[in-house]
Amino acid sequence: MVVAFYPGSFDPVTVGHLDITARASALFDEVVVGVYDTPSKSLLFTTNERVELFEKACRHLPNVRVIKYSGLTVRYAREIGAGVIVRGLRSGFDFEYEFEMAFMNRKLEPDVDLVCFMTSQDYMFVSASLLKEVAKLGGDIREMVPTNVAEALYAKFGNPVVEG
Ligand code: ADP
């Protein structure tokens, strides 16, 4: 049985994150999505909100569960019995980051390997940080996030959900 750990800030979960989760859930026995408690970037949603938003968005995937975690990602992965860390790649920039991180992680925990999924073409330009800016300015982000996240974003910014 292979457990995969998919860590991230997920502030908030996007259709790109969901696509990676669904593809990982088809490949591995169990996928544990790890919402990182204290990323260095500034956050819009609390950790519990980020967990709840992700949980609701992936309810249709029976072998996926969402938890919050803190501390070293690779150590946490080993603690929960995950043999694989899953990440998504959109660009060369993502690749460079993961490449460097993978070497560090292998040094720390040689038994945990990394599997990267290439983003789907439709989600290549979907970025949580960018879409938060767009939502803040009243733009329509409904194609980039699950429905429950679109509602949470508009609730947060006090904007009405954009009428189609
Ligand atoms: P981080 O973990 O760096 O804080 P995120 O929470 O935004 O970043 O993303 C978690 C993981 O999902 C990362 O591996 C990131 O590259 C990947 N990811 C983010 N957006 C997409 C997307 N649109 N398509 C595929 N993968 C993505």
Side-chain angles (χ1 to χ4, degrees):
M1 157 137 175
V2 181
V3 178
F5 185 53
Y6 180 29
S9 315
F10 306 119
D11 184 44
V13 56
T14 70
V15 286
H17 297 137
L18 270 186
D19 177 56
I20 301 295
T21 309
R23 286 160 63 196
S25 79
L27 207 58
F28 301 110
D29 299 296
E30 187 185 10
V31 175
V32 179
V33 173
V35 176
Y36 191 51
D37 203 12
T38 48
S40 48
K41 37 184 150 177
S42 64
L43 295 167
L44 179 63
F45 292 99
T46 65
T47 307
N48 286 342
E49 284 172 332
R50 287 178 285 138
V51 168
E52 276 166 31
L53 289 171
F54 211 134
E55 264 174 353
K56 203 166 173 188
C58 71
R59 262 197 210 143
H60 58 292
L61 301 168
N63 60 339
V64 176
R65 66 190 168 95
V66 185
I67 49 97
K68 67 176 169 189
Y69 80 101
S70 54
L72 263 184
T73 298
V74 75
R75 186 174 299 156
Y76 190 82
R78 187 181 49 79
E79 276 168 17
I80 62 165
V84 167
I85 288 180
V86 163
R87 297 284 285 173
L89 298 181
R90 283 163 296 184
S91 61
F93 182 77
D94 280 349
F95 171 79
E96 290 296 333
Y97 180 76
E98 297 304 335
F99 193 60
E100 206 173 301
M101 187 65 92
F103 283 105
M104 176 60 83
N105 284 345
R106 279 308 280 280
K107 255 203 175 338
L108 296 170
E109 296 290 349
D111 293 337
V112 180
D113 219 328
L114 172 74
V115 172
C116 289
F117 288 80
M118 301 303 143
T119 186
S120 299
Q121 207 174 340
D122 287 350
Y123 307 138
M124 201 165 158
F125 299 107
V126 174
S127 134
S129 37
L130 197 55
L131 73 85
K132 279 184 286 189
E133 281 304 307
V134 173
K136 194 173 174 181
L137 298 169
D140 186 352
I141 43 72
R142 284 174 300 172
E143 279 188 11
M144 300 168 222
V145 289
T147 319
N148 63 314
V149 173
E151 283 163 7
L153 279 168
Y154 288 124
K156 205 99 181 164
F157 294 124
N159 286 339
V161 173
V162 178
E163 295 299 330

